[in-house]
Every structure is written in C-alpha cells, then in structure tokens.
Amino acid sequence: LLSTPAQALPVQEAVQTALANNPNLQRSEQSIRAAEKSLKSARGKKGVSVSASGSVNASKTEGIDPSEHASTGLSASLPLYSGKRLETAIKYAELGIEVSKFDFIQAQDDLIYQVATAYVNALENLATSKVDLETEKNLSEHEKMIAAQYTAGAKAKIDLLRAQVETSNALQTAARSHAAYEVALTNLAALMSTDSIASLSVEDFDTHLTLDDVEKYIAEAEENRYDLKAAALRIEQGELDIESAKSGWLPNVNANVGTDFSAASRRWHITPDASAGISASWNIFDSGVTRAEVETAKVEVERLKLALDANLDDVHEDVVTAHKNLKIALLRLTTTQKAVELAEEERYIATEKYNAGEGILLDILDAEVALSTAKKNNVSARYDVARYSFDLAHAIGDTLKAIRN
C-alpha cells in the first residue's frame, strides 16, 4: 500500500516552496505596493498642480465678416494650508505601508504554520499507516500458522475463520489509513501550490521548542505578534482620521499663478495676460456634516481599540492552550512508549501460550489489538508534541522557532 520515494522533502524545504509559490501570500505582498502608491498620491496632492487649457472659436453673423478667436492658458496652484488635511493624509499613508508590511509578515507566519501543521498531519498518517500494515502483516502470519495447524487437524475451523476475518478487517483499516495519508499529502501540496503528490513524501524531524514558563511565552507574543502591531497602527490611523475630519472646520488656502494668450482673426495679434494671487475658502456651515464625520471617526477608533483588546485576549488564550497541550503531549509520549513495551510483551506471551496449546485465539487477537492501539497512541503523542510545538510557536509569532536550532 505504501510507496515512499527515495528522496523525501524536508519540512524546511516544504515551507520555502510554499513561501515562494503560494498565491495568497503573493496577493498579500501586492498590498505593500498598493500602499506605496497611496503614499505617492498623498504626497503629490501637497505639491504644485499645473493645468493647461485652450480653445478655438469661430463665428459668422449675417451682414458681418466671419471671425475666429483662439486662446490658451497655463496655470499652477500650490496648497498653502489645508487644516492639516494633506499632512494627515501623508502620515496615514506612511502608516498604511507599515500596516501592509506587518500584515504580510503575519501572513508569512500563518502560511508557515499551515504548512508545518499539514506536514505533521501527513507524518502522523504515514506512521499510522505503517502501524496498520504491521498489524495486518502480524495477523496474516497468525492466519497462515492457524491454517497449517487446521490442515494438520490441530485447530478447529472456527479458529481459522476468525483469523481470516480479522486479517481482512486489518487490511481494510490499512487501506483507509493509507488513503488518509494521501489526503494529507494533497492538503500539503495545495499549500505549496504543487499539483501532483506522486513525487511528494515527508520525513521525520525534531522540534527544538523548550517548554518554559507560560508567562514568558505570553510576553513574547505581546512583543512579537505582527497582527497586534498592525492593529495598534490601525488605531493610529484612526486618530489621524479624526484630525482629517476636523479639517472640515478650517479654511483652505492656495497660491495661484497663471498666464493666458489670446488672438483674434482680424488682427491675429497675440495678447498675453498674467496673474498671481492667493485664494482661500472656508465652509462656515455644512449642516453638521463635518461634526458627523468627526464623531464617526471617533467611534471607529474606539472600535479598533476594543478589537485590539479582543485580539490580545485571543492571543493569551492561544498561548495558554498550546502550552498546556504541549505539556500534556510530552507526558503522553513517555506513558505511551511504556504501554507499547507492555503490549509487545503481552502479545509474545499470548502467542507462545496459544502455540503450546494453553491459550485461545481470542487472547492473540486481543493482544494484537492492544499492541496496535498502544502504537497508535504513541504515534499520536509523538506528533502531538510536534503539532503543539508549532501551535505554541505560532501563538508567540514565530512558527519557525519550533524547528530552528
């Protein structure tokens, strides 16, 4: 049932492949470029704006000679004062770049966590498949032994039938576990943006996350989590939105210069004009629109602060849960290994007693089931240690810490 390629893909390479190929991550990276363009636009609005205009008119009135008129103009304007609206927009865009970068780094860590978890799931399913295949092999050997004894007249047919049924059931279990392994590989390949799993296999690796005090991990999470950093910057952006909204109560002042050239068909003499000045506008009454925008911005800031508090609580819960799960998994790893040793001894005794005519077939079957269960529990504990190590590392904002020497 199992076919393992000669060269398995290490978990580090699986992570790097996903980081290079995953389209969702690439889309997240594009948001940084979009934010940079927004900053360029915000800065441009504070600079000089130049516009050109031109027109050509022709007219003919009965009894009067036709006439043509042409004009062209060039003007420039520079905002001198906007109630800090333009300056606020620039600061908002600068923060937007930082937010996009933090979001991208968090997206990278999320993808690493997804790949690592999928990799561990594939490893666990592979190990479970091997246990099921070993159980099927052992039961098949028992079946052959009982068949030989039945042929010699030493065993009843009912023993042979029961052995055949158990072997068939074990084969079906092995087939299902192998299918689960292939599904796990498919999930891993999807995260890596790899179409085929024909050449994809996994290999065991060690985790290097030391189980320290939970308060240490909570402090690391508060310092390192980029989603928390991005949320804090969004609050700053919200404060800037309040300042921008308040600019509606303040005047706008612009400096303007311009020149016009005009000519008429009768003389075709170009007449130049030039102008320069300062203009100001002030919306004295807007039916409460600006006040409503200010209040809306304030409410949004409060909402962002509450969201950050909720995210912080979720991070604390994630750290505590992962820490407890990892601690339990480490204890299970020790106890399940001891259970495997005991189950192997029980199977040996049951087999020897049956061969000596002192035991019954049910003792052997029960011992095989007990050994299979003990090995699967050990497999589960072993990969839960890896899984919860990644859970804890991801909760503190650095998933690769679990496999980094």
Side-chain angles (χ1 to χ4, degrees):
L1 289 173
L2 294 176
S3 57
T4 304
Q7 187 69 31
L9 182 69
V11 62
Q12 293 89 346
E13 291 187 20
V15 166
Q16 293 304 319
T17 301
L19 290 176
N21 298 338
N22 190 274
N24 293 328
L25 188 62
Q26 293 172 356
R27 185 165 59 249
S28 178
E29 189 175 15
Q30 290 297 324
S31 65
I32 300 176
R33 296 187 177 90
E36 291 171 345
K37 298 299 181 183
S38 296
L39 175 59
K40 185 176 181 180
S41 174
R43 286 174 174 168
K45 291 178 181 179
K46 202 174 185 309
V48 176
S49 175
V50 179
S51 61
S53 63
S55 65
V56 176
N57 298 304
S59 63
K60 185 178 185 306
T61 304
E62 186 176 353
I64 302 177
D65 294 338
S67 63
E68 293 83 23
H69 180 272
S71 65
T72 183
L74 191 66
S75 62
S77 64
L78 176 68
L80 301 178
Y81 180 74
S82 63
K84 294 185 178 181
R85 177 176 54 84
L86 297 178
E87 293 83 357
T88 299
I90 293 174
K91 292 179 181 178
Y92 187 98
E94 289 173 344
L95 288 176
I97 294 177
E98 294 303 311
V99 169
S100 297
K101 289 180 178 179
F102 287 160
D103 285 342
F104 175 67
I105 295 173
Q106 185 62 47
Q108 283 184 313
D109 196 64
D110 290 343
L111 179 59
I112 292 170
Y113 171 71
Q114 293 170 3
V115 172
T117 301
Y119 198 99
V120 171
N121 291 340
L123 280 172
E124 182 176 4
N125 281 283
L126 176 60
T128 301
S129 296
K130 291 179 178 179
V131 171
D132 288 333
L133 279 176
E134 183 181 6
T135 300
E136 188 274 332
K137 178 183 177 182
N138 292 338
L139 290 173
S140 179
E141 291 176 353
H142 286 308
E143 179 190 339
K144 293 177 182 178
M145 178 187 65
I146 294 171
Q149 293 175 337
Y150 169 73
T151 302
K155 295 295 180 182
K157 186 174 182 180
I158 191 171
D159 283 355
L160 177 60
L161 294 175
R162 179 62 185 274
Q164 290 172 337
V165 169
E166 293 299 332
T167 301
S168 178
N169 290 340
L171 184 60
Q172 297 303 313
T173 300
R176 285 194 297 269
S177 61
H178 178 66
Y181 167 61
E182 290 191 336
V183 170
L185 282 183
T186 301
N187 294 336
L188 176 60
L191 291 170
M192 295 166 54
S193 298
T194 302
D195 296 332
S196 175
I197 65 171
S199 59
L200 181 61
S201 183
V202 291
E203 65 180 13
D204 277 308
F205 61 91
D206 294 325
T207 56
H208 301 279
L209 192 64
T210 304
L211 191 61
D212 292 323
D213 185 74
V214 67
E215 294 300 327
K216 172 188 173 183
Y217 293 118
I218 290 177
E220 284 188 45
E222 292 178 352
E223 181 180 356
N224 297 334
R225 286 283 293 252
Y226 284 93
D227 52 345
L228 297 180
K229 294 179 181 180
L233 289 183
R234 287 189 175 94
I235 293 175
E236 291 187 37
Q237 286 183 309
E239 299 286 355
L240 291 174
D241 278 334
I242 296 175
E243 295 300 318
S244 180
K246 287 180 178 180
S247 68
W249 286 323
L250 300 173
N252 289 299
V253 181
N254 296 296
N256 304 284
V257 295
T259 182
D260 294 299
F261 298 91
S262 61
S265 60
R266 294 181 179 179
R267 299 190 308 273
W268 287 116
H269 176 68
I270 297 177
T271 304
D273 294 316
S275 63
I278 295 177
S279 63
S281 63
W282 197 341
N283 191 350
I284 298 176
F285 179 73
D286 62 0
S287 298
V289 172
T290 298
R291 181 173 298 278
E293 291 177 349
V294 171
E295 294 303 320
T296 299
K298 288 181 178 179
V299 170
E300 178 63 15
V301 168
E302 293 304 314
R303 188 194 69 81
L304 291 171
K305 289 180 179 179
L306 291 173
L308 177 58
D309 290 340
N311 290 343
L312 197 57
D313 289 340
D314 290 340
V315 168
H316 289 178
E317 182 180 355
D318 290 343
V319 171
V320 172
T321 300
H323 187 272
K324 288 181 178 179
N325 287 337
L326 179 56
K327 186 176 182 180
I328 293 172
L330 289 169
L331 292 174
R332 287 174 51 220
L333 185 60
T334 301
T335 57
T336 55
Q337 182 58 46
K338 181 63 176 178
V340 170
E341 296 172 1
L342 295 174
E344 288 177 338
E345 184 178 359
E346 179 190 6
R347 185 188 63 172
Y348 173 78
I349 294 173
T351 301
E352 292 300 315
K353 287 179 64 177
Y354 184 80
N355 291 338
E358 298 178 2
I360 59 176
L361 178 62
L362 186 59
D363 292 337
I364 294 180
L365 298 179
D366 287 344
E368 285 291 350
V369 171
L371 178 59
S372 177
T373 301
K375 287 185 174 181
K376 287 183 180 180
N377 287 339
N378 182 249
V379 166
S380 175
R382 179 154 36 102
Y383 292 109
D384 275 351
V385 169
R387 184 179 292 109
Y388 295 137
S389 293
F390 284 120
D391 284 354
L392 182 55
H394 180 253
I396 64 178
D398 185 10
T399 302
L400 285 178
K401 185 175 184 178
I403 54 176
R404 189 184 296 122
N405 290 323

